[in-house]
Amino acid sequence: MKSIACFSLVLLLVACGAVKMKETDPENIKPIATEGGLFGGSQTTTDGVAPVSSRTVIPFTDFSSSKDVGAIITFLASDELKGREAGSEGIEKAANYIEKIFEDNGIKPFFNSYKDTISNFSKPAYNVVGVLEGNDPNLKNEVVVIGAHYDHIGLISPKNGDEIANGANDNASGTTTVLELARYFASNKLNKRTVIFALFTAEEKGLLGSKDLAKRLKEKNIDLYTMLNFEMVGVALQDKDYFMYVTGYESTNLAEIANDYSGENLIGFLPSAQKMNLFKRSDNYAFHTEFNVPSQTFCTFDFTNFDHYHGVDDEAELMDFDHMALVVNKSIPMVTGIINAPTKEIKYN
């Protein structure tokens, strides 16, 4: 996540986008639920009446384990990778690792190879992009992008002799989540829509990887339904009655839909995320601007539950592997519902 210079250090999170907003700017839409989150699995409308949902709850699956997520994030945040700065030897190792997971699970490269060189960065750097074709003859022509950035900031000023900003929470945790979701959907092949799994480079340089991929996919004229992004999900929220929050919560009905499919209060509203306009500061934003479709980021970092942002102490050993496995397992029902819904249910408010 890239520093937000216009705020104090406590406001640190994700990269700063600087492109135009759609006509209805999420920043100007009022929230339709309180900080307490969403009750009963659906949002409350402005008149206080909860909408009736016909969505079927998708059963929870205990697919990912603390061992599974721990193995991935421990490698990605290891000293060997030296902080995964875009264009470095360390991030090359991370890309090779991601590529191997895709290959082992039968996820095909979206382009000619998994590594797709971006055109807006001075050093050689690439996104890693895989695709799992949908199995429905009609819905497979619609695409859901599931993404996270796998780069970090590399080497920084030493602290107690340590100069490696390992980037476990930011954002090896989100990368781990996407890789586990990819493994799940590749193992059952029940996705009706086509799913692109995208791990972005150069987020820390200004969302460059996601901007490049969004532009290229737009040029290919793909029918993008939605983009679901995962960012800083390595530690659990505290004193909240929801499990994750989503940036741009107030701009779409995504939280309502996610909670309906999961059958629980999975996604809530974090006022500070709205206040700081985090919607514009992660890789979802490039897809929102390029395609004008709902594109949002899931997160469990709320500025109070992790003190090592962009520091040398953002290490894998501080991550909650049990929580990370729950992020994957609790996300599976909502992502399954979204991918397989008969219509494009997620809408801008």
Side-chain angles (χ1 to χ4, degrees), residues 205-216:
K205 308 296 184 182
L207 309 181
L208 297 183
S210 56
K211 288 178 182 178
D212 188 84
L213 182 60
K215 181 179 178 181
R216 294 197 62 195

Side-chain angles (χ1 to χ4, degrees), residues 14-282:
V14 293
C16 297
V19 288
K20 64 181 181 179
M21 287 295 290
K22 65 185 286 293
E23 184 175 354
T24 302
D25 191 329
E27 193 174 38
N28 298 322
I29 300 175
K30 301 300 180 183
I32 56 179
T34 62
E35 185 170 7
L38 306 173
F39 297 92
S42 63
Q43 289 175 307
T44 302
T45 59
T46 53
D47 60 2
V49 179
V52 176
S53 172
S54 61
R55 300 180 191 99
T56 301
V57 173
I58 296 174
F60 176 86
T61 178
D62 194 14
F63 173 78
S64 186
S65 69
S66 58
K67 182 179 179 181
D68 293 326
V69 298
I72 297 172
I73 197 170
T74 297
F75 175 76
L76 292 175
S78 65
D79 284 354
E80 179 185 349
L81 272 59
K82 298 187 182 300
R84 307 187 310 280
E85 184 174 12
S88 69
E89 292 182 8
I91 199 172
E92 174 85 15
K93 295 179 180 179
N96 292 339
Y97 181 83
I98 293 166
E99 185 177 48
K100 184 68 162 52
I101 289 177
F102 282 168
E103 187 175 16
D104 288 349
N105 285 280
I107 297 169
K108 296 179 181 179
F110 182 79
F111 298 105
N112 292 331
S113 65
Y114 294 106
K115 296 173 185 171
D116 183 50
T117 302
I118 63 174
S119 60
N120 52 1
F121 188 56
S122 57
K123 296 180 180 179
Y126 29 76
N127 300 317
V128 186
V129 189
V131 63
L132 194 62
E133 186 178 8
N135 60 25
D136 184 277
N138 296 316
L139 291 178
K140 71 178 183 180
N141 297 315
E142 299 175 5
V143 176
V144 172
V145 172
I146 301 176
H149 74 91
Y150 75 106
D151 69 307
H152 196 50
I153 60 173
L155 305 180
I156 60 175
S157 298
K159 176 183 176 183
N160 298 325
D162 185 1
E163 63 177 355
I164 301 173
N166 299 80
N169 200 26
D170 182 16
N171 185 36
S173 65
T175 300
T176 299
T177 301
V178 172
L179 291 175
E180 281 292 88
L181 289 173
R183 184 170 70 90
Y184 172 79
F185 286 104
S187 69
N188 61 47
K189 297 181 174 60
L190 297 177
N191 55 298
K192 294 183 179 181
R193 288 182 174 84
T194 294
V195 185
I196 292 175
F197 298 99
L199 287 311
F200 305 111
T201 190
E203 189 265 6
E204 301 288 358
K205 308 296 184 182
L207 309 181
L208 297 183
S210 56
K211 288 178 182 178
D212 188 84
L213 182 60
K215 181 179 178 181
R216 294 197 62 195
L217 294 181
K218 183 68 173 180
E219 290 170 350
K220 285 184 171 290
N221 200 33
I222 71 163
D223 185 1
L224 181 64
Y225 168 26
T226 188
M227 191 275 182
L228 308 176
N229 193 53
F230 289 87
E231 179 90 48
M232 291 188 78
V233 291
V235 294
L237 291 167
Q238 303 296 317
D239 302 319
K240 302 289 191 299
D241 67 351
Y242 50 84
F243 183 72
M244 291 188 288
Y245 69 88
V246 68
T247 64
Y249 170 96
E250 62 280 6
S251 67
T252 77
N253 62 344
L254 173 58
E256 172 195 333
I257 289 169
N259 289 356
D260 283 349
Y261 283 127
S262 64
E264 63 173 294
N265 202 25
L266 184 68
I267 307 299
F269 169 65
L270 185 74
S272 54
Q274 181 195 39
K275 181 180 179 180
M276 291 175 277
N277 199 15
L278 299 185
F279 175 80
K280 294 183 179 181
R281 294 185 164 88
S282 194

Side-chain angles (χ1 to χ4, degrees), residues 227 229 247 278-279 282-288 295-297:
M227 191 275 182
N229 193 53
T247 64
L278 299 185
F279 175 80
S282 194
D283 292 304
N284 62 285
Y285 188 63
F287 292 86
H288 163 77
S295 307
Q296 293 166 265
T297 293

